Amino acid sequence: MKKIGFFLGCNIPFNRPDVEYSARYMLNELGVEIVELEGAACCPAFGTMPSVDLVGWAAASAWNLSIAEEKGVDIITGCGSCYGSLNEARYHMEKHPEIKEQVNKILGKVGKEYKGTVKVWNFINFLYEEIGLDNLKSKIKYNLNGLKCAVQTGCHNLWPSRAYPTNEDNTFYPTRLREICEAMGGVAPHYSTITDCCGMGALRSAASEKSLALFKKKLDVIKEELNPDVTVTGCSSCLLQFDAGQALLVEQKKLDYKIPALHIVQVAAIAMGADVEKATAQASIPLNGVITKIKGGN
Amino acid sequence: MEEGGVNVIDLTQGDESFVKELEGLGADELRECIQCGKCGATCPMALAGLEFFIKRIVHAANLGLRDVLLEDSSVWGCQSCNRCVEICPMDIKPYEVIQALRRAAIKVESCPANTYEGLRNLYKFGHAVFPKGFEERRKKAGLPEKPPTALSYDELRKKYQEVLKQTILEEIAPFPLD
């Protein structure tokens, strides 16, 4: 049985634990054993240690990476920031052995060591490369029944590609998440702003109105070009913006439509028969039509 | 910039030592920038309408405009999306210029309050993002109240804090590391 260390990060366990439930359900259905990374901390997020000091960032990330190394597993994460921060810290340590050396001096004081043997996956690349689309298709109970999906891969799942162990053929024309949705019976066309940022993250903190206005531009294009049943993200931060951020725009009367939003692990878990209440427990935009359509597939 | 005015950069404000400081903080290829503008064309900060976005920030950094960059909050609005790193033809790694600027800013306490809040949460709980009410949310999703992270393991969290204490956080944190 394939094993994987599930790196939870912060937003998934504390803001969107329905994504954690869904990921656990999905991995179990796929026959992947989840290894808990006990004691794992924040990735750390880009506004914290990476903005303070390079060695401090690498040390905080290496703490997490070393836990997976001790357990002999690779890491998977559903948050783009976690994927980006862990992989970039890893990249810096690989490229600059002196940083790795400093990090190991720090870790050594608490009895730990970072070797550099662990690989960090996101769910898109894991489903695409490790599980395989045909295998994924064989594990679902309900096909997506033509569900029209507007996909949002997420910035950190794409760039900087130099730091990532695996990636799209063309990061400015991503297709993997579209192919995953389509393998499960959905329809996931390209649209013109597919790689545009959702505006979540530092921009949302620093300039909330500008962030939401940027997001609205993207939503309007999605609505006009695709008019989808659902948006499907590969990143928990994007999910927060597409769901709660969109609900906020509606509340502020800046948006007169609603597009339901799900993380790819939620879509897959529901298609595999997960408890819908748990799998969508924190959704702000109603998902009734989406669930009905999926449950109508076979 | 005054409303309706022209934003003129006063080159006499330039400070060469600031450029060197940024190079030492991770912006090691800063001097290679040819101001082609590719980073600005793909930057979400520019699309969102922030006055200072990546191209202008790299330009100002090259001119050594310390005060301009440390006073303007745009540097903290960067999404860390790394489109600019991907697309830069000169390998400036523009986002790493942002990181260097933030590292310089934090040394002189020129950063938003939520930066310290994130750092405090990171140290105290092991999680920078630590919203209230998560226990109820987790229960609703059928999960234990606490995730199996540093939050659930006091001894491991203390070890993690020991790791952080050995970083520059020990010098710059405006909260006790105990």
Side-chain angles (χ1 to χ4, degrees), chain B residues 21-91:
Chain B
E21 183 183 349
L22 295 176
E23 286 174 332
L25 289 170
D28 53 344
E29 303 289 338
L30 176 59
R31 289 292 201 192
E32 300 299 315
C33 179
I34 55 170
Q35 281 285 295
C36 69
K38 288 186 85 171
C39 57
T42 192
C43 176
M45 297 163 79
L47 291 171
L50 264 63
E51 189 190 339
F52 269 77
F53 54 88
I54 192 65
K55 178 178 182 286
R56 295 198 73 210
I57 287 170
V58 172
H59 190 197
N62 252 315
L63 295 171
L65 300 180
R66 182 196 302 268
D67 293 345
V68 172
L69 288 165
L70 297 189
E71 280 167 19
D72 193 278
S73 63
S74 302
V75 163
W76 298 92
C78 166
Q79 290 285 63
S80 321
C81 71
N82 279 288
R83 280 176 181 79
C84 54
V85 173
E86 194 77 6
I87 209 165
C88 176
M90 297 301 287
D91 200 23

Side-chain angles (χ1 to χ4, degrees), chain A residues 8-18 20-21 24 36-57 59-60 63-64 88 91-92 95-96 105-107 109-112 155-156 158-162 164 167 171-172 195-207 210-211 214 217 277-279 281-282, chain B residues 25-26 28 42 44-45 47-51 73-74 76-83 85-87 91 93 95-96 98-104 106-107 114-115 118-119 122 125-151 153 155-164 166-169 172:
Chain A
L8 295 169
C10 306
N11 266 325
I12 289 179
F14 301 130
N15 271 322
R16 292 300 303 251
D18 49 352
E20 179 182 336
Y21 162 81
R24 291 181 184 280
E36 302 295 352
L37 301 176
E38 289 108 350
C42 176
C43 48
F46 287 103
T48 63
M49 292 308 286
S51 295
V52 171
D53 177 56
L54 179 53
V55 173
W57 169 20
W63 163 271
N64 296 317
E88 285 182 57
Y91 172 83
H92 283 300
K95 198 176 172 200
H96 304 284
K105 270 188 192 163
I106 292 172
L107 291 184
K109 296 204 174 156
V110 294
K112 283 191 168 282
C155 307
H156 298 286
L158 295 167
W159 311 292
S161 57
R162 64 186 175 134
Y164 296 152
N167 213 329
T171 60
F172 289 99
T195 58
D196 278 22
C197 175
C198 70
M200 191 56 190
L203 187 60
R204 179 80 184 271
S205 304
K210 285 187 165 69
S211 151
L214 180 77
K217 279 184 205 166
E277 291 292 316
K278 290 176 184 168
Q282 276 77 41
Chain B
L25 289 170
D28 53 344
T42 192
M45 297 163 79
L47 291 171
L50 264 63
E51 189 190 339
S73 63
S74 302
W76 298 92
C78 166
Q79 290 285 63
S80 321
C81 71
N82 279 288
R83 280 176 181 79
V85 173
E86 194 77 6
I87 209 165
D91 200 23
K93 302 179 287 295
Y95 169 59
E96 293 184 20
I98 295 278
Q99 286 180 315
L101 282 162
R102 287 176 175 175
R103 290 166 193 162
I106 216 160
K107 281 184 181 171
N114 65 11
T115 300
L119 286 168
L122 181 73
F125 307 109
H127 293 281
V129 178
F130 195 66
K132 284 180 183 164
F134 68 85
E135 297 93 339
E136 282 307 308
R137 284 193 286 276
R138 291 184 62 77
K139 270 161 62 181
K140 206 174 165 194
L143 296 166
E145 280 192 8
K146 284 184 178 181
T149 63
L151 188 68
Y153 295 91
E155 282 308 308
L156 290 170
R157 196 169 66 253
K158 279 177 192 157
K159 281 191 177 185
Y160 179 67
Q161 289 172 340
E162 288 303 316
V163 168
L164 293 182
Q166 293 175 73
T167 71
I168 200 172
L169 201 60
I172 59 102

Side-chain angles (χ1 to χ4, degrees), chain A residues 220-283:
Chain A
D220 284 346
V221 170
I222 287 173
K223 180 74 178 169
E224 186 180 335
E225 292 182 10
L226 299 190
N227 193 22
D229 297 309
V230 64
T231 54
V232 179
T233 77
C235 164
S236 55
S237 289
C238 297
L239 177 67
L240 285 168
Q241 185 83 320
F242 272 88
D243 185 54
Q246 187 185 170
L248 192 59
L249 281 170
V250 171
E251 191 185 309
Q252 293 172 348
K253 303 197 185 309
K254 290 175 182 165
L255 200 67
D256 58 5
Y257 57 84
K258 291 178 186 173
I259 309 173
L262 290 170
H263 192 288
I264 184 60
V265 298
Q266 293 177 290
V267 177
I270 294 165
M272 289 172 185
D275 179 331
V276 173
E277 291 292 316
K278 290 176 184 168
T280 62
Q282 276 77 41

